[in-house]
Amino acid sequence: VIYKLGNEMNVRLAYGRTLARPTLREMAPYSNFEFVNDYQFTGNPQLQRSLIDNYDIRWEWFERPGEIYAVSGFYKRFTDPIERTIIGASSADNPEVTYVNVDKGTVVGLEFEARKQLDFIHSRLSGFQLGFNLSLVRSEVDIPQEKLDKIIERDPERSEFTENTRPLQGQSPYLFNIDLGYNNYKTGTAADIQYNIFGDRLSEVTSDATPDVYEKSRGMLNFTVSQRLYARLSFKFRAKNILDSAIQFVHTYKDVDYIRKEYKMGREISLGLSYDIN
């Protein structure tokens, strides 16, 4: 439902139901060894599909063509969400990784978005455009009582501080993106620099008292520039993952991070020429 507050302003209300089906590998009734991560992966034939009810409200203002200011609120209710789970994480032997359904989960959040041309500062900045997007999210899943009992049994001092909920797997508490672009149609010059970062997010759930595995926050910086050389010939330069921040997965116990896995993706630089035959 869209309600127009004026020629350039809307309020949107939306509801939708989506589903997520398990993949064949997640359901396959056999085990295989993962050499890279040194664990055994076992499918779960009992997996059920997940259902997600989505509720959204959004206010948006299009001040000028290509510009936007928007504030959104959303609520998602998950039934039988599928989560990656480590069985026997504290064992000396290779742990087993599988996928399981949890009973239910919720996600609620706010999103702020803006995109503005910079010619309001000075006419010489007419080709520049600045945009950002910020999401603040709270997700929640109940921790099974069986796991809570194992945590308290292993560390009785934690009993009064142990919460009975945790975040939904894969959901960051915040996401932030910002980009600065330049486009000159007369000279055929275009450039864009983008930076994005996310908060620590739950990567793998453990079935015992071992702390869950979290992927640590990291930023990513990308840059692209292209230039028209002739009527149909263009040059393009692209640099991805310039910061090359370490990707870390950790267990956190008593405010100390114990690294489970760490690696880097490396920087990617490319040059290209293109010719338009149309």
Side-chain angles (χ1 to χ4, degrees), residues 81-121:
I82 299 172
E83 294 190 329
R84 184 180 174 92
T85 301
I86 305 175
I87 301 174
S90 60
S91 173
D93 299 327
N94 294 330
E96 179 183 357
V97 174
T98 188
Y99 285 84
V100 300
N101 291 106
V102 293
D103 184 34
K104 59 184 178 180
T106 58
V107 174
V108 61
L110 289 173
E111 183 176 14
F112 305 89
E113 179 183 358
R115 181 163 296 278
K116 179 72 174 177
Q117 298 182 38
L118 301 185
D119 55 357
F120 74 97
I121 300 175

Side-chain angles (χ1 to χ4, degrees), residues 58 114 138 140 165 184 204 211 220 224 230 243 246 254 270:
R58 176 180 172 92
R138 176 178 174 82
E140 192 172 277
T165 62
N184 189 318
E204 295 173 316
M220 179 174 287
T224 303
Y230 297 101
L243 302 178
K254 294 186 177 180
S270 62

Side-chain angles (χ1 to χ4, degrees), residues 115-119 124-132 178-184 189-195 222-225:
R115 181 163 296 278
K116 179 72 174 177
Q117 298 182 38
L118 301 185
D119 55 357
R124 293 184 178 180
L125 299 177
S126 60
F128 288 89
Q129 188 178 69
L130 180 66
F132 85 93
I178 187 169
D179 67 272
L180 177 64
Y182 174 76
N183 204 324
N184 189 318
T189 305
D192 187 63
I193 185 167
Q194 303 173 340
Y195 176 78
N222 301 322
F223 175 71
T224 303
V225 61

